[in-house]
């Protein structure tokens, strides 16, 4: 097939054309192809978008004028009133007769003042090139070569403007000649006079007549258009590709606007329009190299599947009952949808076949007994939608059929997006990257509705359920809440959103959902898309199963403006978009481009702190850690300098002081390291280790206190070995296991600490909660023992004391160990569990741990 049909074939089979093999793979890949008897050139995919022209070449059905041999009788007159032309462009498709080398007149425009007012002539030179010359006001440009006389169709344009008499000749999209001065010398330049006679195929020696055989045209001509302005290079490229530039058009090609002499044959031909790029990349199988070939050439091609997509396709085929396919084909009385998605030949559809196919499919899908679609059924429907969206709408076809096709297309799209098919979409997620593929197909389909627009009908709206197409100069689509969103939020769709979650600033990210309609917008100029900025507002819609209380203690929405790129597999991106205004019920947005838009709602835990409160907490934390660090260093120095007798208690105190001081020093300066990924990772690991060690030594403090006050179970030497294993060995094991199992999820996105969005945080929180629980029990038992001892001592020393004194003694006996042991055992960290309830607990937590 040619490149465009090969590319379309692969796409409709859920595959892609072969991509360029890596350098190291070229030789082996070439051998593989040769073993399958593939020789010569093979089409390659255009990976970097080098191919700028449409991937579907337009089939253009037009009337062609066949002049045959040179005579003095054959002519065609343009039935149009020409105004004065201070600037002019004339373009046409031409097939030159190579049998003669005499001068031929393509067209001539005559007015009473000047018979040769505006004329284009040409001839074939000895080297086989067709040379053109332009005549304006009787002034003649030189004959210059423009294209080869090869008997093929060629496109040409000639331009002229009054100012300086500037002119240019284009052939096949390239400027072949240009100059200035094609006007009267010594006088002010004049515009081409109006109300003249325009003749195709003959030179006028008198107004509208007196033709000569040797100057007549021999060949075929079609698609002649004339504008009263100079077209730019881009506009000429559009005209060459059969797109009509409507602005300042004086004459458009139409049989009704021509007076055709009886011996000139007029035939209707299917014309394959040229495109901006004529060569496509190929892989040379024998030489293992790359080259270019004409995109129109028929060459072998290979459709490539990703392995996971191929497996899903095979599984869908094997497990299929072909219920839907069989029902549709039976009802239609022919094969509308082939049973095998791999081997089916995708035929080019015309409008009538496409309409009949979608009519039958919509009838089957809307039946009340329709079960949930199987994977193979969904793929088959999507394959048919791809074929229909590639239909070439020919000029002159019935507009009622075209509008009905749009109705059926939207209805089928709505029906396959029903909530009952969510699991089916998930089962083919590797083949079709989510239901956003339907948005792309609808976008292609709505482009076919251009012929429905007339001066009397400037808008077209087609709607079924929650899906609609709205076509004006601006092309809009919408997928109302409840159709596309159910499938996007269904099982297996989390991958669509997993890269979207923004930094949460300490809040716990819960989920992402499509919270509005999905809309698509594009601006059209001469039926070609052009990029422009767009501003829009979308209403929020919340799933009924989600309980939301904005301002309460549950969940709040954080709004992010996003658009989708279907070619990227339906991933969402904020590039080029910003939120203009966000209200509880809607969001107004601005984007610097047109595409598919939606507002995604990211659900987080309620953030209750203002920026001022956050700054205050950060300042208090830094000051508190600084005071605590200084006090710890002084204490450590005193233990060493004063000569405190060596004991279990002093050894445990020293290790706790060292671990806590190291952790707080790292914490104070961790903000400076967050810009360097490697340093931040190391700081996080050290913080994890030293804070874990600090809590482990707090656990040792509790165990030591238990052994001194409650029960003595082992010797001092054995206890110290156990304490060291617990104080340093346990943290090293915890940190090591965490790094080994969660290396890529270890660090948070916006600060140097453990990732709170994953289970990694439990490698710290879990052991800490266990230690706090153990130390709370130790404190409770120590207080009971202390109070009991104080009661006995009070009775022995003061048997006759008053009740008030006894109560006071017991209160002090209770308060003293609590005040002393709370910071030593780390129980002030319990306040951290209460921080989310109120900002007051955050202040209490910072102050208490500063005093530890």
């Amino acid at each position: 097939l040619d490149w465009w049909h090969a590319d379309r074939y692969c796409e409709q089979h859920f595959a892609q054309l072969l991509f360029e093999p890596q350098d190291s793979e070229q030789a082996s890949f070439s051998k593989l192809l040769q073993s399958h008897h593939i020789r010569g050139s093979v089409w390659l995919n255009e990976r970097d978008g080098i191919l700028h022209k449409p991937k579907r070449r337009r089939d253009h059905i037009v009337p062609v004028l066949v002049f045959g041999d040179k005579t003095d009788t054959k002519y065609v007159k343009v039935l149009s009133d020409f105004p004065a032309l201070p600037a002019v462009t004339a373009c046409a498709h031409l097939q030159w007769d190579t049998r003669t080398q005499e001068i031929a007149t393509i067209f001539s425009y005559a007015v009473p003042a000047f018979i040769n007012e505006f004329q284009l002539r040409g001839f074939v030179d000895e080297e086989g090139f067709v040379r053109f010359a332009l005549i304006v006001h009787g002034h003649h440009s030189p004959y210059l070569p423009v294209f080869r006389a090869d008997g093929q169709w060629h496109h040409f344009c000639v331009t002229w403007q009054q100012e300086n008499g500037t002119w240019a000749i284009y052939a096949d999209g390239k400027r072949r000649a240009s100059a200035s001065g094609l006007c009267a010398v010594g006088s002010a330049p004049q515009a081409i006079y109006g109300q003249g006679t325009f003749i195709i195929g003959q030179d006028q020696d008198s107004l509208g007549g007196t033709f000569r055989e040797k100057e007549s045209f021999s060949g075929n001509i079609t698609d002649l258009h004339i504008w009263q302005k100079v077209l730019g290079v881009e506009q000429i490229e559009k005209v060459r590709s059969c797109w009509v530039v409507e602005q300042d058009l004086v004459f458009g090609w139409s049989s009704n606007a021509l007076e055709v002499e009886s011996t000139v044959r007029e035939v209707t031909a299917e014309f394959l329009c040229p495109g901006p790029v004529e060569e496509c990349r190929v892989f040379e199988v024998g030489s293992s190299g790359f080259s270019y070939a004409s995109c129109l050439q028929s060459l072998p091609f290979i459709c490539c599947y990703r392995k996971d997509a191929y497996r899903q396709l095979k599984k869908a085929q094997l497990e299929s009952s072909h219920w839907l396919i069989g029902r549709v084909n039976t009802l239609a009385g022919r094969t509308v949808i082939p049973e095998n998605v791999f081997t089916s030949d995708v035929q080019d559809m015309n409008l009538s076949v496409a309409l009949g196919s979608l009519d039958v499919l919509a009838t089957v899908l809307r039946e009340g007994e329709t079960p949930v679609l199987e994977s193979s059924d969904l793929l088959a429907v999507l394959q048919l939608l791809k074929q229909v969206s590639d239909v070439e709408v020919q000029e002159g076809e019935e507009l009622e059929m075209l509008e009905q096709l749009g109705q059926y297309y939207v209805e089928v799209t709505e029906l396959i997006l029903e909530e009952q098919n969510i699991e089916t979409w998930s089962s083919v997620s590797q083949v079709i990257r989510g239901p956003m593929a339907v948005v792309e197909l609808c976008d292609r389909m709505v482009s076919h509705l251009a012929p429905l627009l007339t001066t009397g009908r400037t808008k077209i709206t087609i709607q079924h359920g929650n899906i609609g197409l709205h076509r004006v100069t601006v092309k809009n689509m919408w997928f109302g809440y409840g159709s596309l969103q159910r499938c996007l939020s269904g099982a297996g769709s989390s991958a669509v959103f997993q890269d979207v979650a923004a930094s949460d600033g300490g809040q716990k990210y819960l989920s992402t959902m499509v919270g509005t309609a999905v809309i698509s917008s594009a601006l059209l100029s001469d039926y070609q898309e052009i990029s422009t900025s767009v501003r829009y507002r979308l209403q929020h819609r919340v799933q009924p199963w989600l309980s939301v209380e904005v301002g309460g203690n549950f969940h709040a929405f954080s709004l992010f403006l996003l658009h989708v790129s279907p070619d990227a597999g339906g991933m969402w991106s904020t590039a080029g978009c910003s939120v203009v205004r966000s209200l509880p019920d809607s969001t107004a947005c601005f984007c610097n481009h047109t595409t598919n838009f939606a507002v995604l709602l990211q659900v987080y835990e309620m953030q209750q702190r203002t920026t001022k409160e956050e700054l205050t907490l950060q300042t208090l934390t830094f000051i508190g850690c600084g005071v605590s660090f200084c006090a710890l260093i002084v204490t450590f120095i005193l233990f060493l300098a004063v000569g405190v007798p060596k004991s279990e208690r002093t050894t445990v105190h020293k290790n706790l002081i060292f671990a806590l001081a190291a952790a707080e020093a790292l914490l104070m300066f961790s903000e400076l390291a967050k810009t360097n990924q490697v340093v931040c990772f190391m700081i996080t690991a050290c913080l994890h280790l030293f804070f874990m060690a600090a809590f482990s030594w707090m656990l040792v403090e509790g165990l030591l206190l238990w052994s001194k006050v409650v029960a003595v179970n082992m010797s001092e030497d054995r206890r110290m070995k156990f304490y060291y294993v617990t104080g340093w060995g346990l943290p090293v094991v915890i940190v090591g296991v965490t790094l080994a199992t969660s290396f890529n999820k270890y660090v948070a996105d916006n600060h140097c600490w453990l990732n709170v969005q994953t289970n990694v945080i439990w490698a710290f929180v879990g052991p800490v909660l266990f230690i706090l629980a153990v130390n709370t029990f130790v404190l409770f038992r120590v207080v009971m023992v202390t109070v009991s001892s104080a009661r006995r001592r009070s009775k022995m020393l003061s048997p006759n004391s008053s009740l008030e004194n006894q109560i006071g003694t017991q209160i002090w006996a209770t308060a003293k160990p609590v005040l002393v042991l709370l910071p030593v055992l780390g129980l002030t960290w319990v306040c951290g569990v209460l921080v989310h309830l109120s900002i007051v607990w955050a202040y209490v937590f910072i102050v208490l741990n500063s005093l530890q």
Side-chain angles (χ1 to χ4, degrees):
L1 297 177
D2 63 48
W3 190 93
W4 290 274
H5 285 92
D7 183 65
R8 191 194 309 182
Y9 182 96
C10 291
E11 183 196 9
Q12 292 180 357
H13 285 80
F14 306 101
Q16 290 180 306
L17 271 179
L18 172 69
F19 279 104
E20 181 179 317
Q22 300 295 327
D23 292 341
S24 59
E25 300 173 347
Q26 289 179 16
S28 59
F29 186 73
S30 183
K31 290 180 181 178
L32 175 65
L33 295 182
Q34 290 180 41
S35 68
H36 287 78
H37 309 291
I38 298 174
R39 300 285 189 275
S41 302
V42 177
W43 287 129
L44 286 176
N45 208 323
E46 298 292 345
R47 185 189 298 274
D48 299 319
I50 300 169
L51 204 66
H52 296 297
K53 65 178 163 181
K55 291 186 178 180
R56 301 188 309 277
R57 295 170 66 85
R58 295 188 69 230
D59 293 328
H60 192 44
I61 297 180
V62 287
V64 175
L65 299 178
V66 180
F67 282 87
D69 297 329
K70 295 168 72 73
T71 69
D72 59 359
T73 59
K74 293 179 180 179
Y75 75 93
V76 175
K77 182 179 180 180
V78 174
L79 304 176
S80 180
D81 293 329
F82 286 85
L85 301 171
V88 64
T89 299
C91 298
H93 284 94
L94 191 72
Q95 198 172 23
W96 197 273
D97 186 354
T98 59
R99 295 174 298 175
T100 177
Q101 292 185 329
E102 292 182 327
I103 289 176
T105 304
I106 295 98
F107 63 77
S108 63
Y109 176 73
V111 295
F114 276 108
I115 296 301
N116 294 329
E117 177 70 351
F118 179 45
Q119 188 177 130
L120 182 65
R121 304 162 68 106
F123 73 92
V124 179
D125 65 14
E126 294 178 353
E127 296 178 355
F129 284 93
V130 176
R131 291 175 174 263
F132 275 1
L134 186 64
I135 300 173
V136 178
H137 298 319
H139 297 276
H140 204 297
S141 77
Y143 281 99
L144 296 169
V146 288
F147 56 81
R148 185 169 291 279
D150 52 10
Q152 301 296 317
W153 281 100
H154 293 276
H155 181 262
F156 75 86
C157 285
V158 293
T159 68
W160 178 87
Q161 58 184 340
Q162 177 181 337
E163 185 179 355
N164 299 325
T166 304
W167 60 276
I169 299 177
Y170 295 83
D172 297 327
K174 295 180 181 179
R175 186 162 60 182
R176 304 296 184 181
S178 63
S180 59
L182 194 60
C183 56
V185 180
S187 60
Q190 297 290 322
I192 293 174
Y193 291 108
Q195 307 305 315
T197 302
F198 196 105
I199 299 293
I200 300 172
Q202 292 286 359
D203 176 21
Q204 304 175 57
D205 286 340
S206 63
L207 190 63
T210 316
F211 308 136
R212 289 189 291 178
E213 178 182 329
K214 66 177 183 178
E215 293 182 341
S216 66
F217 174 69
S218 175
N220 306 322
I221 190 168
T222 187
D223 253 1
L224 174 68
H225 292 78
I226 303 169
W227 294 264
Q228 56 181 343
K229 69 172 183 177
V230 173
L231 295 185
V233 176
E234 290 185 3
Q235 290 176 311
I236 288 175
E237 200 59 69
K238 286 184 178 180
V239 173
R240 178 173 173 250
S241 301
C242 307
W243 295 102
V244 179
V245 177
E246 301 286 352
Q247 186 178 7
D248 296 322
L249 183 66
V250 175
F251 169 71
W253 189 247
S254 171
S255 298
N256 298 327
L258 298 174
E259 178 187 301
V260 183
E261 192 268 333
S262 59
T263 59
V264 176
R265 284 196 302 132
E266 186 178 5
V267 299
T268 300
E270 184 175 348
F271 196 69
L272 189 61
C273 297
V277 178
E278 286 300 315
E279 291 186 329
C280 299
R281 198 164 170 81
V282 294
F283 176 67
E284 300 294 347
V285 176
S287 62
S288 300
F290 304 99
S291 63
Y292 288 87
S294 170
C295 300
L296 289 174
Q297 189 174 346
S298 293
L299 291 177
F301 64 95
I302 300 170
C303 295
C304 298
Y305 293 88
R306 289 176 295 104
K307 288 183 180 179
D308 47 5
Y310 184 80
R311 292 192 188 102
Q312 280 195 350
L313 278 169
K314 291 292 288 185
K315 183 180 179 182
Q317 288 291 127
L318 292 172
E319 297 177 355
S320 174
S321 65
H322 301 297
W323 178 89
L324 177 73
I325 297 172
R327 183 83 177 89
V328 170
N329 292 341
T330 301
L331 192 61
R334 59 184 178 88
T335 302
V336 173
I337 305 176
E339 290 189 355
N340 194 318
V341 73
F342 290 107
T343 60
S344 60
D345 288 329
V346 179
Q347 303 294 331
D348 286 335
M349 285 191 170
N350 58 37
L351 187 60
S352 177
V353 173
L355 184 63
S357 300
L358 283 190
D359 184 10
V360 174
L361 179 58
T363 301
V364 174
L365 287 175
R366 77 169 77 99
E367 289 177 350
E369 301 81 25
T370 303
V372 175
L373 287 178
E374 295 178 350
S375 301
S376 60
D377 293 335
L378 178 60
L379 292 172
V381 172
L382 289 170
Q383 189 178 54
L384 182 61
L385 291 178
K386 283 173 180 279
Q387 287 181 265
V388 174
S389 67
D390 287 332
V391 165
E392 295 288 351
V393 179
Q394 307 298 344
E395 297 174 14
E397 293 195 278
E398 294 184 22
L399 299 184
E400 293 80 6
M401 290 175 62
L402 184 59
E403 187 164 0
Q404 188 62 54
L405 183 69
Q407 294 279 4
Y408 286 145
Y409 201 95
V410 171
E411 182 179 0
V412 170
T413 301
E414 165 73 10
L415 291 170
I416 64 174
L417 287 174
E418 290 291 341
E419 188 173 5
Q420 63 190 17
N421 296 319
I422 291 176
E423 292 297 329
T424 310
W425 279 100
S426 301
S427 67
V428 292
S429 60
Q430 297 301 324
V431 182
I432 298 293
R433 296 296 182 89
M436 288 305 296
V438 175
V439 177
E440 185 184 11
L441 291 176
C442 286
D443 191 54
R444 281 157 60 173
M445 179 61 207
V446 73
S447 299
H448 292 315
L449 303 181
L452 296 176
L453 295 175
T454 62
T455 53
R457 186 183 187 187
T458 58
K459 296 181 180 179
I460 303 160
T461 301
I462 297 175
Q463 183 172 2
H464 186 275
N466 278 325
I467 301 176
L469 314 174
H470 184 68
R471 176 70 183 242
V472 281
T473 303
V474 176
K475 176 179 66 179
N476 294 318
M477 294 191 303
W478 69 93
F479 289 75
Y481 191 87
S483 54
L484 192 67
Q485 290 77 0
R486 290 194 186 102
C487 293
L488 285 174
S489 302
S493 64
S494 58
V496 177
F497 306 113
Q498 63 185 7
D499 295 332
V500 178
S503 173
D504 62 2
Q507 302 176 76
K508 184 181 179 183
Y509 168 78
L510 298 179
S511 64
T512 304
M513 64 193 69
V514 182
T516 65
V518 175
I519 64 173
S520 173
S521 183
L523 184 64
L524 302 171
S525 175
D526 297 320
Y527 306 121
Q528 293 285 303
E529 284 193 16
I530 59 175
S531 184
T532 184
S533 59
V534 61
R535 188 184 298 260
Y536 60 92
R537 185 174 69 89
L538 288 170
Q539 201 80 13
H540 301 165
R541 295 291 298 272
V542 182
Q543 280 90 337
W545 47 263
L546 182 64
S547 173
V548 179
E549 284 193 35
V550 178
N553 292 328
F554 299 95
H555 307 100
F557 284 141
S558 177
L559 302 174
F560 289 85
L561 171 69
L562 301 130
H563 74 273
V564 71
S565 171
D567 291 337
M571 298 303 291
W572 297 86
S573 169
T574 58
C577 296
S578 60
V579 176
V580 176
R581 189 181 184 190
S582 182
L583 300 173
D585 63 338
S586 65
T587 299
C589 310
F590 173 83
C591 282
N592 62 10
H593 58 283
T594 52
T595 182
N596 306 305
F597 302 102
V599 173
L600 299 196
L601 302 180
Q602 291 188 326
V603 185
Y604 289 84
E605 288 180 350
M606 173 65 79
Q607 168 71 337
Q608 296 180 344
R609 299 170 189 165
T610 64
T611 305
K612 185 177 180 181
E613 288 173 338
E614 287 288 349
L615 182 61
T616 303
L617 288 173
Q618 288 179 5
T619 305
L620 284 176
T621 299
F622 190 83
I623 294 172
C625 284
V627 172
S628 179
F629 178 75
C630 293
L632 288 166
I633 293 300
V634 170
T635 307
F636 193 77
I637 292 172
L638 285 174
F639 269 114
L640 297 176
V642 175
V644 177
K646 186 177 181 181
S647 65
E648 284 182 310
R649 187 174 66 173
T650 56
T651 301
V652 172
H653 283 346
K654 287 177 186 178
N655 281 277
L656 174 57
I657 289 168
F658 176 78
L660 203 54
E664 292 189 350
L666 288 168
L667 182 62
M668 283 190 292
F669 298 101
S670 62
E671 285 295 307
L672 302 177
K674 66 182 182 180
T675 55
N676 188 310
Q677 190 174 359
V678 176
V679 176
C680 186
F681 188 93
M682 295 174 63
I683 291 289
T684 301
C686 291
L687 276 172
H688 190 192
L689 176 65
F690 283 114
F691 268 120
M692 202 68 256
F695 274 99
S696 297
W697 283 106
M698 291 177 202
L699 175 62
V700 171
E701 291 276 9
L703 297 176
L704 178 63
L705 194 62
W706 179 277
S707 69
K708 296 292 186 182
V709 177
V710 181
V712 180
N713 295 321
M714 64 176 74
S715 66
E716 185 174 333
D717 290 339
R718 290 179 62 192
R719 278 204 305 268
M720 283 311 302
K721 291 178 181 178
F722 174 72
Y723 293 159
Y724 273 112
V725 170
T726 304
W728 292 111
L730 186 62
V732 168
V733 171
I734 291 173
V735 174
V737 171
T738 306
L739 286 172
T741 57
S742 305
F743 189 84
N744 295 325
K745 304 175 184 177
Y746 189 67
V747 183
D749 291 332
N750 62 332
H751 50 272
C752 301
W753 181 235
L754 301 179
N755 193 339
V756 297
Q757 292 186 14
T758 63
N759 293 327
V760 171
I761 191 63
W762 287 101
F764 177 73
V765 174
V768 166
L769 291 177
F770 172 75
I771 291 169
L772 293 179
V774 172
N775 282 355
T776 301
F777 178 72
V778 170
L779 178 64
F780 178 73
R781 290 289 293 129
V782 168
V783 168
M784 287 181 61
V785 172
T786 305
V787 170
S788 177
S789 299
R791 187 184 298 117
R792 289 197 302 270
R793 189 182 307 110
S794 176
K795 288 182 179 180
M796 289 174 60
L797 298 176
S798 304
N800 298 321
S801 62
S802 64
L803 181 61
E804 290 81 1
N805 288 336
Q806 290 179 14
I807 293 174
T809 301
Q810 290 182 19
I811 291 174
W812 175 244
T814 303
K816 182 180 177 181
V818 170
L819 292 173
V820 171
L821 296 177
L822 271 178
V824 174
L825 298 179
L827 297 180
T828 53
W829 285 75
V830 174
C831 296
V833 180
L834 307 175
V835 163
H836 72 284
L837 297 178
S838 171
I839 190 69
V840 175
W841 283 109
Y843 295 137
V844 172
F845 175 67
I846 291 172
V847 172
L848 288 179
N849 284 294
S850 300
L851 299 175
Q852 188 175 13

